[in-house]
Every structure is written in C-alpha cells, then in structure tokens.
C-alpha cells in the first residue's frame, strides 16, 4: 500500500477526462455532518465503481476525503482521511485489490461551495474519485 508521501496525486485525473460516460459511475459520495460511515446511496455508487474497476484492471483509483469548513484543520484532515478510508475498505471488501486504491484527505481545503449554510456544507462532505493507469 503506497504511503501518502509516495502518492503522486498529479498522475490521477478526472474519470470524465478518460471517458465522459465514467462521470455517471465515478460520482461523489456524501457524508453526514461529523460522520464517515457510508450511507446506502454511497454503497450503491461504490458498488458501480467496484464493478468498473474489476472490469478495468489497468486502472488505479484515488479516493479523496473532503469536509465542510466547520472544525479545526487538523480535525477535518483526520475526518477526511476516515471518509476516504471507509470508501477504500468498502471497495476492497467488494474485491478491488487494496494496492489499486489510494487515499488522500484534503479536509476543508478544496470546497465545492463556500456559503455558510447546510445546503453548501453538505456538498463539501464528500468522497471524490480520480483514476490513473497502473
């Protein structure tokens, strides 16, 4: 399993840049406030991602963990890591080799939305997926 220091996140790209149809498979998963457990709709999305990865063994996936901006930077980095790792564990449990799944936490550093409202915060509490060739 690559260490975070060995991870070159720049080699990973958006799935839609490989094939626009992949945007429907590799969609973001979302988390409740201060939680890292997977919701049923997230598991359904991960089921599709796992199937694609098992059928396309020349690809690796990077799971990014993201948070809203409430809480300290340190807390959010740790929570983002737990979110990414929960998705990794689920994918691994479905038969995707762990060595093909990397994780990184951005905490609150890469928000999709910056308004101070739940409608915005909920968009930032996510797992995001990037792909790279092996």
């Amino acid at each position: 399993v690559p260490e975070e220091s060995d991870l070159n996140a720049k080699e990973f790209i958006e799935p839609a840049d490989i094939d626009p149809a992949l945007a429907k498979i590799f969609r973001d998963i979302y988390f409740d406030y201060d939680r890292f457990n997977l919701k049923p709709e997230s598991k359904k999305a991960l089921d599709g991602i796992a199937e694609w990865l098992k059928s396309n063994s020349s690809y690796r996936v990077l799971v990014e963990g993201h948070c809203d901006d409430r809480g300290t930077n340190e807390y959010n980095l740790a929570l983002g890591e737990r979110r990414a790792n929960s998705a990794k564990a689920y994918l691994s449990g479905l038969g995707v080799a762990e060595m093909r799944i990397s994780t990184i936490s951005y905490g609150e550093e890469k928000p999709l939305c910056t308004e101070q409202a739940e409608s915005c915060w909920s968009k930032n509490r996510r797992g995001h997926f990037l792909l790279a060739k092996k």
Side-chain angles (χ1 to χ4, degrees):
V1 179
E3 294 296 321
E4 196 167 338
S5 60
D6 296 336
L7 175 65
N8 181 2
K10 291 181 177 71
E11 67 187 289
F12 290 88
I13 62 172
E14 292 291 338
D17 292 343
I18 297 167
D19 179 348
L22 292 180
K24 290 181 181 170
I25 297 170
F26 288 87
R27 61 188 190 273
D28 287 354
I29 59 172
Y30 297 94
F31 296 88
D32 288 331
Y33 175 70
D34 201 29
R35 297 283 182 261
F36 58 92
N37 55 306
L38 297 171
K39 300 181 192 184
E41 59 268 24
S42 296
K43 290 179 180 180
K44 185 176 180 184
L46 290 166
D47 290 344
I49 291 170
E51 285 306 310
W52 190 90
L53 288 169
K54 290 191 288 186
S55 299
N56 294 274
S57 60
S58 62
Y59 284 91
R60 298 179 295 125
V61 66
L62 173 63
V63 185
E64 297 178 344
H66 297 272
C67 300
D68 64 38
D69 64 357
R70 296 174 289 177
T72 65
N73 286 341
E74 296 79 14
Y75 183 84
N76 285 332
L77 281 170
L79 181 57
E81 182 177 348
R82 285 188 213 98
R83 288 175 173 168
N85 284 333
S86 67
K88 177 180 180 174
Y90 189 83
L91 291 170
S92 176
L94 293 174
V96 179
E98 278 195 39
M99 63 185 227
R100 293 178 58 207
I101 310 166
S102 300
T103 61
I104 192 166
S105 175
Y106 289 108
E108 62 191 67
E109 299 304 315
K110 291 187 170 189
L112 288 179
C113 182
T114 56
E115 297 168 28
Q116 295 296 303
E118 179 56 34
S119 59
C120 179
W121 290 321
S122 65
K123 294 174 186 170
N124 293 331
R125 297 189 305 260
R126 69 195 189 282
H128 185 73
F129 303 92
L130 300 174
L131 287 171
K133 281 278 198 179
K134 279 187 177 179

